Amino acid sequence: MRAIMPLTHQEISLRSVRRRDIRTLERLLVTDREWLRPWEASTPGIRYPLDVRFMVGSLIAQARNDSGLGLIIEYQGQIVGQINVAGIQRGSLSSATIGYWISKKVAGNNITPIAVALTIDYLFLEAKLHRVEIDIRPENTPSLRVVEKLGLREEGLKKRFIHIDGDWRDHRIFAITSEEISGSLLNRL
């Protein structure tokens, strides 16, 4: 998938992650460690330091081979979070999964719902995907509020789905298809 031009709504914009974002992302992820740790994927039996350089390189490689897309969330010109589009499938599936995080200092300002709506609009209208899924831990109230605001439908529960913060965690499944939106998902906000 080619790098996307900035997607913008008011003071919020999204753009493809770049290598020069590494230091800023690392600073944000370290500063908000306790805020983000309960929701971040981990590897069973391994505690490893945050490797933002590897993460950014991996996201850029995934964009090149059209299997994923890393997006930077900017608010008032400052990097405040990230959206990852993973598992892009073409053909008969034509789907992807979205994950996201936002800095604690700007959480609760409707930035994440707008950024997720911009991303889904891009995936449906430009990338021509059919279905987008978001998987959320049942305890993650702020993320559950995002999918509620956007009107994504709940499809069920994936038991012990992703290893997060040292254990296998359940996730509620939310999804939307292109037929469920008339125009832009951003219009739902």
Side-chain angles (χ1 to χ4, degrees):
M1 188 172 289
R2 62 180 169 72
I4 67 167
M5 298 302 294
L7 306 171
T8 305
H9 179 75
Q10 297 171 355
E11 296 180 293
I12 299 162
S13 66
L14 298 175
R15 62 169 174 77
S16 295
V17 66
R18 300 181 292 232
R19 292 198 187 280
R20 67 177 174 225
D21 298 321
I22 291 171
R23 284 192 183 140
T24 303
L25 287 171
E26 187 170 50
R27 188 180 71 250
L28 282 172
L29 289 165
V30 168
T31 299
D32 284 344
R33 207 75 223 115
E34 295 309 309
W35 162 258
L36 297 171
R37 186 184 321 268
W39 322 119
E40 289 181 340
S42 52
T43 303
I46 299 175
R47 286 282 181 208
Y48 48 88
L50 191 60
D51 190 344
V52 178
R53 182 173 307 282
F54 174 79
M55 176 191 73
V56 168
S58 177
L59 291 170
I60 291 169
Q62 289 173 42
R64 268 193 226 115
N65 70 24
D66 198 31
S67 66
L69 184 61
L71 301 173
I72 294 294
I73 303 170
E74 292 182 342
Y75 176 65
Q76 298 177 341
Q78 300 296 312
I79 296 174
V80 297
Q82 188 179 347
I83 293 182
N84 292 327
V85 180
I88 295 174
Q89 299 289 317
R90 299 292 181 173
S92 59
L93 285 178
S94 192
S95 67
T97 302
I98 293 179
Y100 47 84
W101 63 268
I102 192 82
S103 174
K104 185 176 182 177
K105 70 181 178 185
V106 297
N109 289 310
N110 216 33
I111 296 167
T112 306
I114 290 169
V116 170
L118 285 168
T119 302
I120 291 173
D121 285 347
Y122 172 81
L123 293 172
F124 286 160
L125 301 172
E126 301 297 323
K128 305 298 184 197
L129 295 182
H130 174 256
R131 182 180 186 279
V132 173
E133 180 176 310
I134 299 176
D135 303 317
I136 303 172
R137 286 188 57 190
E139 307 85 3
N140 191 341
T141 304
S143 280
L144 293 171
R145 183 74 182 117
V146 170
V147 294
E148 178 185 317
K149 285 181 180 182
L150 295 174
L152 273 66
R153 111 186 90 69
E154 186 165 3
E155 295 187 327
L157 182 72
K158 292 180 180 178
K159 299 293 283 179
R160 295 172 296 286
F161 175 54
I162 301 175
H163 198 272
I164 292 183
D165 195 26
D167 205 357
W168 293 102
R169 310 292 181 170
D170 296 346
H171 281 68
R172 291 170 65 184
I173 309 159
F174 296 87
I176 193 163
T177 61
S178 56
E179 295 93 356
E180 295 173 81
I181 302 173
S182 177
S184 167
L185 185 59
L186 193 58
N187 293 336
R188 289 188 179 183
L189 297 175

